[in-house]
Amino acid sequence: MGAFKMRGASNAILSLSDEERNKGVVTHSSGNFAQALSLAAKKVGIPAYIVMPKNAPEVKKNAVRTYQGQIIECDSTPIARENMAEVVRKEKGATFIHPSNDDQVIYGQGTAAMELLEDYPDLDYLFTPVGGGGLIAGTALAANYFSEHCKVIGGEPENADDAYRSLLSGNIEHNETADTIADGLRTFLGNRNFPIIKKYVERIITVSEKEIIEAMKLIWERMKIVIEPSSAVAFAALLKQKDDFKNKKVGIIISGGNVDVNNLPF
Amino acid sequence: MGAFKMRGASNAILSLSDEERNKGVVTHSSGNFAQALSLAAKKVGIPAYIVMPKNAPEVKKNAVRTYQGQIIECDSTPIARENMAEVVRKEKGATFIHPSNDDQVIYGQGTAAMELLEDYPDLDYLFTPVGGGGLIAGTALAANYFSEHCKVIGGEPENADDAYRSLLSGNIEHNETADTIADGLRTFLGNRNFPIIKKYVERIITVSEKEIIEAMKLIWERMKIVIEPSSAVAFAALLKQKDDFKNKKVGIIISGGNVDVNNLPF
């Protein structure tokens, strides 16, 4: 479905017992994970219950419906969506799968880096964006177990720099506001992925909105790939600090192309 | 360099004798072939002389210079550019390589279809855009020699439908005007590629400007690939006549992403 979230969603569903699996899965997400879990569930013929805020854009609801996800609406607050997911979990007996703070999701997201390292075993650095922390935690595990010396670096918007501050303070920090064009990275870390990030991630580099948009445009123009702003953040981080990585072999995880081509930021 | 022209340019240069090769190559082109021949020549360390109209956009001249092509300017008529290429050929002893009407260029362009057929040997149809005829002729040869039953179909703009009319009349036709957004397809066929096209191409389907733009947008949105209008024409042709290809295995050659992302047609 065009984004790395499919890896984590599939791995989480395939890790369930038959009995668990048949009762379905539930998550709260209005982004790519909602679509990914719906499609992964559809592929094995089980229901996916997707808790979404009432005011989520119709285009995102339709994408979930395309993959036969069953939408349950809730108020637009973190507590409301967690409560609603818990109601659904109890009522349907479905297994709750968090979009980023779930071991099997983390392992699934790590397969992108694992495959990249199979093709390029001598990478010195691997860059990923940091949102909820699932991708960077999985990538860090993959680099630790499947490479000799590859270090993992995160890119994060200055305007949603919770992970950057979390690594500094040693505790999970939150964003007061998260006014960034990289709308997939407005979330915060969790108790499953933060310990992995703390242990294995080398550094997080924050970037401005302008730097995100410039990096996105460069990838469109040179690599001819339509990527969304959240996906450009890792490359923006590398561009910003490029002198630190001269003569190094650098990989970048690029994933996610939800863009309204009639309304581009450049 | 991001377009199939690199295949034909490389094959043409690699087919020269050492003696010929060392004197360099000359072509007339202001498009992707100018860049492709420059890069292919650079790779083997020989000069490429590129005849371009004085009024060619600076961005296209710069792209050629990036690949160390040597630009020779001429007036903006077909006769002026042919005369200038002939002058350069004589002066430098360089070999003239036509962008589309050259056997080795045709064979090189055919390798895209050859590789696709290696991966998908059971294709029923292969669609390509039709401009100067090099790509579709090479594709038709590849389908004839490397597949059981794959038929080749061309997509062409209604506003530059010279190849469509050429197949009808049996002679090489020209465009009075060629006012199409698919600026790579304004050229006409030649005496080397037309006999191949006449013999092996099943059909040419013409499409409107609106259909080209819609097909281009759909590929951006769903496949997340930045392609230029000329590259979308083959897919536009398939969309237009989709009922004819129901339940068939269809391949499409998509190549070329020269787009000003600040000035999109949608």
Side-chain angles (χ1 to χ4, degrees):
Chain A
M1 42 74 70
F4 72 87
K5 302 276 184 183
M6 190 64 192
R7 296 169 178 268
S10 302
N11 193 49
I13 287 179
L14 294 174
S15 303
L16 298 176
S17 69
D18 283 354
E19 197 189 348
E20 289 170 328
R21 196 186 296 174
N22 290 334
K23 291 182 182 156
V25 288
V26 54
T27 195
H28 50 65
S29 163
S30 53
N32 283 322
F33 193 76
Q35 296 173 44
L37 195 70
S38 301
L39 179 56
K42 184 187 165 204
K43 288 218 166 191
V44 294
I46 63 166
Y49 306 102
I50 311 294
V51 176
M52 286 178 99
K54 272 182 209 141
N55 60 0
E58 205 53 38
V59 59
K60 296 198 168 183
K61 292 183 187 172
N62 283 336
V64 166
R65 288 186 195 114
T66 303
Y67 296 132
Q68 296 171 22
Q70 299 179 36
I71 295 171
I72 295 113
E73 295 191 338
C74 68
D75 287 336
S76 176
T77 68
I79 290 173
R81 68 183 192 180
E82 281 175 30
N83 287 344
M84 184 59 85
E86 180 60 15
V87 168
V88 175
R89 190 186 69 77
K90 281 197 181 141
E91 248 180 36
K92 308 283 186 182
T95 302
F96 176 71
I97 299 179
H98 190 282
S100 55
N101 195 42
D102 174 292
D103 289 355
Q104 300 305 327
V105 169
I106 292 167
Y107 303 155
Q109 317 303 30
T111 59
M114 192 184 74
E115 290 170 19
L116 186 62
L117 286 164
E118 282 169 4
D119 290 346
Y120 300 94
D122 56 348
L123 288 185
D124 298 309
Y125 292 96
L126 240 171
F127 278 68
T128 82
V130 188
L135 177 63
I136 193 165
T139 302
L141 289 176
N144 182 64
Y145 289 110
F146 302 120
S147 84
E148 289 293 318
H149 61 264
C150 180
K151 289 174 184 145
V152 171
I153 294 180
E156 195 176 34
E158 282 171 5
N159 291 359
D161 66 346
D162 55 288
Y164 174 78
R165 288 181 287 109
S166 300
L167 275 192
L168 284 185
S169 73
N171 300 302
I172 295 174
E173 305 289 342
H174 296 75
N175 299 306
E176 294 288 313
T177 60
D179 183 18
T180 173
I181 192 173
D183 58 1
L185 309 184
R186 291 174 185 156
T187 44
F188 46 85
L189 306 178
N191 66 327
R192 299 305 306 164
N193 57 48
F194 182 52
I196 300 170
I197 294 168
K198 208 154 56 165
K199 186 163 179 189
Y200 294 115
V201 170
E202 172 91 354
R203 176 181 173 195
I204 289 177
I205 296 169
T206 60
V207 290
S208 70
E209 297 298 292
K210 185 165 167 278
E211 288 162 341
I212 295 170
I213 293 168
E214 284 172 356
M216 176 177 163
K217 190 179 174 193
L218 196 55
I219 287 181
W220 283 48
E221 290 183 333
R222 299 292 174 86
M223 301 190 68
K224 313 293 181 193
I225 312 173
V226 173
I227 62 165
E228 62 188 78
S230 303
S231 178
V233 167
F235 179 48
L238 173 61
L239 281 182
K240 182 169 192 170
Q241 299 291 342
K242 58 175 182 269
D243 290 342
D244 296 356
F245 303 96
K246 248 181 192 157
N247 301 318
K248 299 294 181 187
K249 286 197 199 302
V250 179
I252 307 173
I253 309 266
I254 292 178
S255 168
N258 281 327
V259 179
D260 177 357
V261 299
N262 291 117
N263 186 17
L264 297 177
F266 43 72
Chain B
M1 44 74 69
F4 72 86
K5 303 276 184 181
M6 189 65 192
R7 296 169 177 269
S10 302
N11 193 51
I13 287 180
L14 294 174
S15 303
L16 299 175
S17 69
D18 284 353
E19 197 188 349
E20 289 170 326
R21 196 187 294 174
N22 290 334
K23 292 182 182 157
V25 287
V26 55
T27 195
H28 50 66
S29 163
S30 53
N32 282 322
F33 193 76
Q35 297 172 44
L37 195 70
S38 301
L39 178 58
K42 183 185 165 206
K43 288 217 165 194
V44 294
I46 63 165
Y49 307 101
I50 312 293
V51 176
M52 286 178 99
K54 273 182 208 139
N55 60 359
E58 206 54 36
V59 59
K60 294 198 169 182
K61 292 183 187 171
N62 284 336
V64 166
R65 288 187 195 114
T66 302
Y67 296 132
Q68 295 171 23
Q70 300 178 35
I71 295 170
I72 294 111
E73 295 191 337
C74 68
D75 287 336
S76 175
T77 67
I79 289 172
R81 68 182 194 184
E82 280 175 29
N83 287 344
M84 184 60 85
E86 180 60 16
V87 168
V88 175
R89 190 185 69 76
K90 281 196 181 141
E91 249 180 37
K92 307 283 186 183
T95 302
F96 176 72
I97 298 179
H98 190 281
S100 54
N101 195 42
D102 175 291
D103 290 355
Q104 299 305 328
V105 169
I106 293 167
Y107 303 156
Q109 315 304 29
T111 60
M114 192 183 75
E115 290 169 19
L116 186 62
L117 287 164
E118 281 168 6
D119 290 346
Y120 300 94
D122 56 348
L123 287 184
D124 299 308
Y125 292 97
L126 239 172
F127 277 69
T128 82
V130 188
L135 177 63
I136 194 166
T139 302
L141 289 176
N144 183 62
Y145 289 110
F146 303 120
S147 84
E148 290 292 319
H149 61 264
C150 181
K151 290 175 183 146
V152 172
I153 294 180
E156 195 176 35
E158 283 171 4
N159 290 359
D161 65 347
D162 55 288
Y164 174 78
R165 287 181 288 110
S166 300
L167 276 192
L168 285 185
S169 73
N171 300 304
I172 296 174
E173 305 289 341
H174 295 76
N175 299 306
E176 293 289 314
T177 59
D179 182 19
T180 172
I181 191 173
D183 58 2
L185 309 185
R186 291 174 186 158
T187 43
F188 45 84
L189 305 179
N191 66 327
R192 300 304 307 164
N193 57 48
F194 183 52
I196 300 170
I197 294 168
K198 207 155 54 165
K199 186 162 177 190
Y200 295 115
V201 169
E202 172 92 353
R203 175 182 174 194
I204 290 177
I205 297 169
T206 60
V207 291
S208 70
E209 297 298 292
K210 185 164 167 280
E211 287 162 340
I212 296 170
I213 293 168
E214 284 172 355
M216 174 178 164
K217 191 178 174 195
L218 196 55
I219 287 180
W220 284 47
E221 290 184 332
R222 299 292 174 87
M223 301 191 67
K224 314 293 182 190
I225 312 173
V226 173
I227 62 165
E228 62 188 78
S230 303
S231 178
V233 168
F235 179 49
L238 173 61
L239 281 182
K240 182 168 192 170
Q241 300 291 341
K242 58 175 182 268
D243 290 342
D244 296 355
F245 303 97
K246 246 180 194 160
N247 300 318
K248 299 294 180 187
K249 285 197 197 302
V250 179
I252 306 173
I253 309 268
I254 292 178
S255 169
N258 281 327
V259 179
D260 177 357
V261 298
N262 291 117
N263 186 18
L264 297 178
F266 43 71

